[in-house]
Amino acid sequence: MTETAPGLSPGAAAWRRLRRNPLAMGGLVITVVVVVMCAFAPLFSGHDPGYQRHWVGALTPGSSHIDCLRENRLIPGQAPDVSPQDLSAATTITLAADESSYREYRIIPDTEGRIRRIAGSQGELDELVLNQAALARVALIDGSRGRNLAPLSLRRGEAPPVPLFDGSAAVVLEVATEARIASYTAQLNNGVVSAVQRSGTALPEGIVITGDRITGMEADGRSITTWHLLGTDIEGRALFARILYGGRISLLVGAVATLVSLLIGVTYGAVAGYVGGRTDRVLMAGVDVLYGLPFMFLVIVLLSFFGSNILLLFAALGAVQWLTMARIVRGQILGLREADFVAAARLAGTPAHIVILRHLVPNSFGPIVVYASLTVPIVILEESFLAFIGLSASFGDGQVHSWGALVKTGVDSLGSDGSFAWLLLWPSLVMAATLIALNVLGDGIRDALDPKLSRGAA
Amino acid sequence: MGRYLLKRLIQAPIVLFLIVTCSFVLVRLAPGGPFDAERKVPPEVEAALNEQYHLDESIPMQYGRFLLDLAQGDLGPAIKYPGRSVNAIIADRLPPTLLLGGYALALAVLIGVTVGVIGARLYNTVFDHASMVFALLGISIPMFVVGPLLLLAFQTQWRLVSPPGEYGPSFAYLSLAALCLAAPFAARIARLCRAGMLEVVNQDFARTARAKGVPEWRIVTVHCLRGALTPVVSFLGPAVASVLTGSLVVESIFLLKGLGWEFVFSAINRDYTLVIGTVIVYSSLLIIANLIVDLCYGLLDPRVRYD
């Protein structure tokens, strides 16, 4: 007997072909990086993706700000509650708080961008002079974006000397009538606040300050700040964290809905192909009829009438995608059914479901994997489409949204001058990069498993 | 051919009936009613409203009434638009959607086939690689990312188009929306067409034509294009469905108030009759489009047998 050369299993051969395809390997690397970063999101971003900081507003990528909470408490006998960071090791915490009182003026532009009205609490003004720097800040009507203004004067009928309106119908100018920055100091003992002072005076009850008033925070002389790789959105939520946690929804829906479609499609196609004859004709006629249904419209009706949750999303998107899978599997099994090894298995008395599961499905594995890998980006795209029209699942009390919803937020906050562009740019970029990577990888798997089919067919 | 057509024509109403029943059941099984979202109305007013729209009857009764009206082409009154019928709203909203969808489909075929054919003829050149990269981008980047960026560039920055006014959108604006909607389909068609073209350019009949001295452009357009178009045509059936779906977001991004915009609005506002009405219209469009595609398939490739 001669010894046979060790052959490569089809899987190993396909993996070798895939490894030689640089494009597909690039896709694989990007896919793995994105999946790992989203799955282990807390390791890559320390921020809570749902924590709103209205006083911070939208910050450009790379910005930092004082890392305080919405409500900051320094109360003797309790642990300091002023920052997401752990400050229990510090011995002193100092806070600077803006305790100025503000007067509000509503500035309304005309169609040419000149000032039409200056409305204060005491009535209409012709002129508003602000001669002290950093004492006036601009907010939109909803109070969402704040910024400080340099000294300036506004006159009715004239254009403001600095861009003020950003295309909005009116802005509110908050002018400090009495500027006062208070300084608070807390002494800590074993992680518990022991005494709180305000400019040297002891405050036995401690203090509670809202985040929008805090202008500085130090622990043992170290400034307590935090920074955001991709900035924050209009509600002051960390964009990078939102993209990572949102990716969990997008990727999860992509994977699970594909599995659902795989399960239905393979079962349906295998039964049709194996049983054949009349059953096959009826089952495949059913698929033909279903192909004519406007599935996405029914999914939209389903989600908007039943409320969207992630389980419904899995089922609905999986149910849209199984038809092609059923056709492919049925075609494969129809071809394999008459093969000798199947006849042998049947003659040996193997029950039908075992023949299908052990012999037929594994032998159609190639086309199944190819189609499944190309289905994942399609499902992610469909989910993002649903999220864009407001019909997707969310995690964490409705604060964490999938990529499609983040893109939608980016579109909605895009000013007429393209301000806040990073809110659209980064979610779009991450999503597009992931989809490109998955598509390239799917194409690569197809070329590797089925060299006949290659040459870049869609 | 005749028999096949007859079979499809019999099948169409069955599919439509399935869709109608499906959407009716979906809408009626859902918890809550159409008047839930508004501020609390007195019980007698709500009872009157329910009676007016026959919501107080049993579900089978409502279904029977609905089918009876539908058979007469009446889709009923729109719940959220007092005094207007669903038929009137659809007649109002359908033309912009058809215009946008048709325009986008035409653009997709035109761009896709041109790029695909040239890509195949210039196989493995810079043009071929560049066009396939663009095709990959077109397939992967969602149109709701492309749309706002197009608007930002053409409307806000360069002021080349203006938003739709009183008399509807300008041609340039509509073209921008159609381009946004067409991009992913143009990309897919380009890939299909390129692959189909590569399949046929070296076959015997093309070689024979070349040996006879037929000019290359004639070989491509007359002899090969037909074969290369077969996969494109079979893609067009599902593409019509996807164009209609994509039109939902494109209409909302470009502020074109068509049927897609109305459909999303009615689904979110639980306007029972309007939702079912729009789904029926979309399904009919889809069934007709699939029928046309099937027939074209036979015209392109006489080997296809209908049975």
Side-chain angles (χ1 to χ4, degrees), chain B:
Chain B
M1 180 90 172
R3 243 188 85 202
Y4 174 78
L5 196 65
L6 195 72
K7 198 177 131 195
R8 292 302 299 260
L9 283 177
I10 296 170
Q11 209 181 36
I14 300 173
V15 174
L16 202 57
F17 174 77
L18 257 172
I19 295 164
V20 167
T21 309
C22 220
S23 46
F24 185 89
V25 169
L26 260 183
V27 164
R28 291 305 153 103
L29 272 185
F35 307 114
D36 284 358
E38 280 141 59
R39 72 195 151 78
K40 206 68 206 137
V41 289
E44 56 269 32
V45 174
E46 197 177 338
L49 276 173
N50 280 339
E51 199 186 324
Q52 190 191 334
Y53 295 108
H54 306 291
L55 294 175
D56 53 341
E57 293 170 359
S58 69
I59 297 285
M61 274 282 281
Q62 287 186 43
Y63 181 58
R65 182 187 294 278
F66 169 72
L67 283 185
L68 214 64
D69 285 347
L70 187 63
Q72 298 161 17
D74 180 10
L75 294 167
I79 291 178
K80 298 283 169 170
Y81 294 91
R84 294 195 66 190
S85 72
V86 173
N87 292 43
I89 293 173
I90 287 175
D92 220 29
R93 299 294 192 203
L94 190 57
T97 297
L98 286 183
L99 189 63
L100 178 67
Y103 192 176
L105 218 52
L107 268 183
V109 172
L110 198 70
I111 298 174
V113 169
T114 313
V115 171
V117 168
I118 297 178
R121 289 312 296 145
L122 301 177
Y123 181 62
N124 229 347
T125 61
V126 177
F127 178 87
D128 184 31
H129 294 307
S131 63
M132 282 307 106
V133 168
F134 271 103
L136 185 64
L137 293 181
I139 289 170
S140 305
I141 302 178
M143 51 181 100
F144 55 76
V145 170
V146 178
L149 293 179
L150 281 179
L151 274 185
L152 192 65
F154 284 88
Q155 183 180 305
T156 316
Q157 292 292 320
W158 303 327
R159 301 194 178 279
L160 290 174
V161 297
S162 48
E166 204 179 326
Y167 303 105
S170 65
F171 180 69
Y173 188 82
L174 191 69
S175 305
L176 206 59
L179 190 67
C180 170
L181 184 54
F185 305 103
R188 270 185 198 282
I189 291 174
R191 291 175 82 165
L192 286 170
C193 193
R194 174 175 172 275
M197 203 69 191
L198 287 176
E199 206 77 35
V200 290
V201 277
N202 289 323
Q203 279 186 14
D204 291 345
F205 66 88
R207 198 146 26 109
T208 309
R210 222 167 269 134
K212 281 183 0 192
V214 179
E216 191 63 30
W217 64 267
R218 239 186 101 79
I219 296 176
V220 169
T221 52
V222 178
H223 297 257
C224 298
L225 195 58
R226 211 178 232 246
L229 280 185
T230 330
V232 174
V233 170
S234 60
F235 168 70
L236 281 182
V240 169
S242 306
V243 164
L244 289 176
T245 321
S247 161
L248 300 184
V249 291
V250 171
E251 281 173 31
S252 86
I253 290 167
F254 286 84
L255 307 172
L256 300 166
K257 291 196 173 175
L259 198 60
W261 182 85
E262 195 69 58
F263 170 70
V264 174
F265 181 79
S266 65
I268 287 167
N269 284 296
R270 301 175 155 241
D271 191 329
Y272 288 12
T273 48
L274 195 48
V275 166
I276 296 176
T278 38
V279 169
I280 291 173
V281 172
Y282 275 123
S283 316
S284 315
L285 283 176
L286 215 62
I287 290 168
I288 295 168
N290 278 328
L291 209 56
I292 294 175
V293 165
D294 275 353
L295 293 177
C296 287
Y297 210 58
L299 291 179
L300 265 176
D301 189 350
R303 287 171 302 180
V304 172
R305 288 268 170 277
Y306 297 99
D307 50 32

Side-chain angles (χ1 to χ4, degrees), chain A residues 265-276 325-326 328-346 350-369:
Chain A
V266 170
T267 316
Y268 196 97
V271 169
Y274 185 74
V275 178
M325 182 62 85
I328 290 172
V329 172
R330 177 229 173 218
Q332 285 289 316
I333 286 184
L334 215 54
L336 287 171
R337 201 169 55 144
E338 309 304 334
D340 289 342
F341 70 94
V342 179
R346 254 194 281 194
T350 319
H353 68 275
I354 302 286
V355 175
I356 291 177
L357 282 180
R358 289 282 291 278
H359 299 285
L360 291 175
V361 171
N363 272 297
S364 343
F365 207 59
I368 295 177
V369 169

Side-chain angles (χ1 to χ4, degrees), chain A residues 44 88 97 146 157 161 164 199 211 231 233 280 290 306 309 346 357 391 397 416 427 439 449:
Chain A
F44 295 94
S88 55
L164 199 62
S199 316
D233 69 4
D280 178 37
L290 290 176
F306 283 85
N309 63 60
R346 254 194 281 194
L357 282 180
L391 293 173
D397 302 328
S416 55
N439 273 322
L449 281 176

Side-chain angles (χ1 to χ4, degrees), chain A residues 142-159:
Chain A
D142 59 4
S144 56
R145 309 182 216 173
R147 66 184 157 98
N148 292 329
L149 279 185
L152 63 104
S153 64
L154 301 173
R155 226 171 262 114
R156 192 157 69 179
E158 290 179 10

